[in-house]
Amino acid sequence: MAKQTGRALVASNKKARHDYFIEDVMEAGVVLTGTEVKALRAGRASLVDGWCAIDGGEMWLEGVHIPEYSQGTWTNHAPRRKRKLLLHRQEIDRWEAKTREKGQTIIPLSLYFLDGRAKVEIALARGKKDWDKRQSLRERQDNLEAQRAMREQRDR
């Protein structure tokens, strides 16, 4: 079997950019078991309820649902277990200091394979209030209407 190259997206958290202001983004490796990798290669995962916690100088990915592998036996994994993230010590320390600020959290944005290795894109984020969400939705709609009007002008 040939080695896999490129980036193959498994799951993305589309709601994250709606619910949070993204301030910084980083890529991290994930420690997985064999059945988790097989379930991910089948394209099954959910990042909706996921978050990252720093405990004892290590970063952990929690709340991410990777369903059990259908052909797995008694060696199958727990779907919502804690998974260790592989990062450099300086990166963990820097993000730990930032999360101590009020309203800062670390969330997963996407889960993918990069050259055959499982990676997760995590973001340092600050939660949006309801009025922030409405405002960003309004801005996006205004931009779409402006683009549509410009396209109609050009096509005439």
Side-chain angles (χ1 to χ4, degrees):
M1 191 161 121
K3 184 172 166 125
Q4 186 181 14
T5 58
R7 181 176 165 153
L9 184 67
V10 176
S12 65
N13 189 353
K14 294 175 185 160
K15 225 175 155 189
R17 295 190 190 275
H18 179 263
D19 291 341
Y20 298 95
F21 291 111
I22 307 299
E23 297 181 4
D24 195 7
V25 177
M26 184 172 21
E27 179 182 81
V30 189
V31 177
L32 299 171
T33 64
T35 54
E36 286 174 324
V37 174
K38 287 184 176 282
L40 286 178
R41 288 205 191 278
R44 302 177 62 205
S46 173
L47 300 175
V48 174
D49 298 328
W51 77 95
C52 296
I54 299 173
D55 184 31
E58 297 177 334
M59 193 175 294
W60 297 87
L61 183 63
E62 299 185 41
V64 172
H65 185 265
I66 300 175
E68 289 186 352
Y69 181 57
S70 57
Q71 280 84 41
T73 58
W74 57 273
T75 59
N76 238 330
H77 62 278
R80 288 200 185 269
R81 74 177 188 89
K82 283 174 60 171
R83 294 166 181 92
K84 187 176 180 180
L85 295 180
L86 303 172
L87 293 165
H88 291 284
R89 168 73 50 223
Q90 308 89 286
E91 294 170 336
I92 295 173
D93 292 342
R94 184 168 48 93
W95 278 33
E96 184 175 23
K98 288 182 179 179
T99 56
R100 287 196 186 115
E101 296 175 21
K102 188 171 184 274
Q104 299 276 20
T105 187
I106 303 170
I107 56 168
L109 294 179
S110 61
L111 186 60
Y112 53 92
F113 284 100
L114 184 66
D115 296 333
R117 290 189 165 89
K119 303 283 184 182
V120 65
E121 187 176 48
I122 56 176
L124 186 67
R126 192 176 71 246
K128 285 185 180 178
K129 305 281 188 231
D130 285 338
W131 60 272
D132 287 329
K133 294 177 190 178
R134 285 192 297 270
Q135 183 179 357
S136 61
L137 185 63
R138 194 175 310 117
E139 286 173 6
R140 188 169 52 218
Q141 286 175 342
D142 291 344
N143 287 339
L144 284 172
E145 288 174 12
Q147 287 176 356
R148 194 174 298 125
M150 288 170 48
R151 202 169 26 246
E152 288 175 7
Q153 288 277 333
R154 187 185 66 213
D155 291 343
R156 287 184 185 174

